C-alpha cells in the first residue's frame, strides 16, 4: 500500500505538469513507491499507482518493465547496477561482473546470503568514458578494477 508520505511526494511531481497530465509523473511515482517498498515493485503497487494517477494499469506496467530502474522482485539493501554495454564491456565489465558474482557468491539478479547486496546488469548509464562502471544508489563508481570492487564492497554495511 502506498503511504500518505509517498502520496505527498508523488503530488509534488504531479504539480509540475499541467492539469490532466498526471501521468507525466509516472516515473517519479514508480521510483518513490519502489523506494518505500525496499527497492522493488509488485503488481499490486503498480495497480495502485495507476489508480492514483488515473492511468490504465497496462500503461504503468509498460513504463515499469521498459526501464531498468525498476525491480520486480526483492533486492538487497544495496543494488549494484553494473553496466555491461559496449564501452564498459570493451574495458572488462564481463570479467568484473564474474569477479563480483564469485566474491558475493551470487548470480546476477540474486541477493547475497546476508541480504546486503544484489547485482544487476544494466545497459549504458551514460558514463561510458569512465567504464567499466557501476551505480549503487545515487553514486557512480568508474574505472573499476577488482581492487576498487573490494574497497566498494568493504564499505557496504
Ligand atoms: S557503456 Fe557503460 S556507461 Fe556507457
Amino acid at each position: 500500500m502506498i503511504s500518505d508520505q509517498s502520496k505527498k511526494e508523488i503530488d509534488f511531481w504531479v504539480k509540475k505538469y499541467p492539469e490532466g497530465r498526471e501521468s507525466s509523473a509516472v516515473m517519479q511515482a514508480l521510483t518513490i513507491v519502489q523506494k518505500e517498498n525496499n527497492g522493488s515493485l509488485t503488481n499490486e503497487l503498480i495497480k495502485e499507482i495507476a489508480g492514483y494517477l488515473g492511468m490504465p494499469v497496462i500503461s504503468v506496467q509498460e513504463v515499469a518493465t521498459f526501464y531498468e530502474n525498476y525491480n520486480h522482485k526483492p533486492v538487497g539493501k544495496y543494488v549494484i547496477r553494473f553496466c555491461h554495454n559496449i564501452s564498459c564491456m570493451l574495458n572488462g565489465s564481463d570479467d568484473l561482473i564474474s569477479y563480483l558474482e564469485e566474491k558475493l557468491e551470487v548470480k546476477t539478479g540474486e541477493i547475497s546470503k546476508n541480504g546486503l547486496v544484489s547485482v544487476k546488469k544494466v545497459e549504458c548509464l551514460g558514463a561510458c568514458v569512465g567504464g567499466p562502471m557501476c551505480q549503487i544508489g545515487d553514486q557512480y563508481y568508474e574505472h573499476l578494477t577488482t581492487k576498487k570492487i573490494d574497497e566498494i564492497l568493504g564499505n557496504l554495511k
Side-chain angles (χ1 to χ4, degrees), residues 13-26 53 55:
W13 289 100
V14 165
K15 283 182 191 138
K16 291 185 177 282
Y17 300 101
E19 209 176 311
R21 297 293 195 136
E22 292 77 8
S23 62
S24 298
V26 67
L53 295 177
M55 296 173 68

Side-chain angles (χ1 to χ4, degrees), residues 64-84:
T65 54
F66 179 80
Y67 293 101
E68 288 177 312
N69 314 31
Y70 307 113
N71 303 308
H72 300 278
K73 60 182 192 177
V75 293
K77 181 177 175 189
Y78 299 100
V79 180
I80 301 179
R81 302 177 73 230
F82 217 113
C83 174
H84 68 133

Side-chain angles (χ1 to χ4, degrees), residues 87-99:
S87 295
C88 289
M89 189 261 286
L90 290 174
N91 284 293
S93 63
D94 288 348
D95 288 344
L96 290 178
I97 291 168
S98 298
Y99 177 76

Side-chain angles (χ1 to χ4, degrees), residues 83 85-88 124-128 133:
C83 174
N85 216 295
I86 191 73
S87 295
C88 289
C124 182
L125 290 168
C128 316
M133 62 80 64

Side-chain angles (χ1 to χ4, degrees), residues 3 12 19 30-32 37 44-45 50 53 56 62-63 100 107 113 116 128 130 133 146 156:
S3 70
F12 169 82
E19 209 176 311
L30 287 163
T31 301
I32 291 162
N37 194 47
E44 280 312 306
L45 288 171
L53 295 177
E62 284 169 352
V63 175
L100 199 50
K107 286 284 173 209
K113 282 186 192 116
L116 196 62
C128 316
M133 62 80 64
T146 52
L156 300 180

